[in-house]
Amino acid sequence: MQTVRHSEHTLRTALISKNPALVSQYEKLDAGEKRLMDEAFRPDSDLFGPITLHSQSDWITSHPEAPQDFEEFFNDPYRKTPSPQEHSIYIQCIGLLGNTRSISEEYVKWLKGYCEAFFYGLTVKLLEPVPVSATRCSFRINDNTQNLQIHAGVGIFSFARYGSDFYSSHYEGKLKKLQKKSSSDYSVFDNYYVPEVTSVLLLRSCKTLTHEIGHIFGLRHCQWLACLMQGSNHLEEADQRPLDLCPICLRKLQSAIGFHLKDRYKALVRWVDAESTDTPTVSPERSREDPLSLPKPVEAFKEWREWITKCLAVLQK
């Protein structure tokens, strides 16, 4: 196990910059926001800590990348910045999740609500789900695992990888017979296995969804502190990274969108607390014409909610 630890000077420069204009921009943050951001420099901070590498297969070790500080992010001419005309994030579901369309729609609504809180101030819109065939993406059957894999583009991830047994030999989604399919024959996806909706699945989905959209906004993989924007090579590494951003990446996102930190954190708390208990469930037998709300499984978010509460306490001192 190895710890990636930077000096206070290095972190301060990465966050604030040496550019007088960007330093002045930082100084205009309110006292609470600067207090929270400055936690990045405290070696004993219980909010933001160094990156821990657990093996040589971890992302930073196997994918050397130049780190991106705030100044480099700010000066990137290709990054996406919302405007009054373009301020929406679109979520397109490919296929269904769960045993019925009702369950799938409810799950994607949870992701929509989370995304709206995470990227506070932007509108998130859901597009109608489409079958895999509508994407016209090529696909393959993995020779080693017999799992289906779609060759897709930017900002796409699979729910299947976040089921509890995806990497096990007992995974129900393995194709029982190896079969060769042409790139235009999508029948192999018909009635394909989908993982059970669990709190861990939702947590992993929220992590990956916001990580990938963060890239769309121009945030590169983080190498400063433990952060959602760290790269990950495998599920164990993805589970170890936090659910939210370090101060350096948080300043990048705040600069792009323009939210107040307190408003954003409160919105995230509301998402965890909203409709998470005492709501009826959807049974697999119920049809789309008779939908009921599925209780949002937020047990896995408990520790993260407590962390946000600590951040709010620092902001509101």
Side-chain angles (χ1 to χ4, degrees), residues 92-98 104 108 128-133 135 159 194:
Q92 172 76 75
C93 192
I94 301 171
L96 300 179
L97 180 74
S104 183
V108 177
E128 280 293 310
V130 297
V132 176
S133 58
T135 69
F159 293 111
V194 290

Side-chain angles (χ1 to χ4, degrees), residues 24 38 63 87 121-122 124 132 137 165 189 193 264 277 291 301 315:
S24 176
D38 288 350
H63 291 79
H87 56 85
L122 300 184
V124 178
V132 176
C137 290
D165 60 348
F189 291 94
Y193 171 79
R264 176 180 177 272
T277 58
F301 293 82
L315 286 166

